[in-house]
């Protein structure tokens, strides 16, 4: 029992650290080919409006954010 109490926390810590390294490896993505030029490759992004006005509500529809009145029901 004492051995389990002493060995379990370090084993769990090693498992968490190993999973963290694995996640970092996955997030890094594929390695660039050996003939690729080093440095950043920037791409242009098309101009998109930062904020579009919300669509108007149909006649007679109510939308009260405090009470949630006028919202549709969810399936769940």
């Amino acid at each position: 029992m004492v051995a389990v109490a002493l060995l379990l926390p370090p084993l769990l810590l090693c498992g968490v650290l190993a999973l963290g390294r694995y996640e970092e490896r996955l997030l890094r993505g594929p390695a660039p080919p050996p003939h690729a030029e080093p440095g950043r490759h920037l791409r242009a992004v098309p101009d998109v409006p930062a904020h579009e006005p919300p669509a108007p509500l149909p006649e007679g529809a109510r939308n009260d954010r405090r009470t949630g009145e006028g919202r549709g029901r969810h399936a769940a």
Side-chain angles (χ1 to χ4, degrees):
M1 294 295 258
V2 174
V4 172
L6 293 176
L7 291 177
L8 190 61
L11 288 175
L12 290 175
L13 179 63
C14 288
V16 168
L17 293 175
L19 286 174
R21 289 185 59 119
Y22 178 67
E23 181 184 16
E24 287 177 6
R25 219 169 118 201
L26 285 178
L27 291 176
R28 208 176 310 143
H35 63 277
E37 296 177 13
R40 294 178 103 174
H41 299 283
L42 302 178
R43 296 187 180 112
V45 178
D47 291 333
V48 177
H51 177 69
E52 295 181 9
L57 292 174
E59 284 295 321
R62 295 178 52 164
N63 188 6
D64 189 355
R65 287 184 176 208
R66 287 184 300 133
T67 63
E69 190 176 332
R71 288 187 176 178
R73 296 194 66 156
H74 296 284

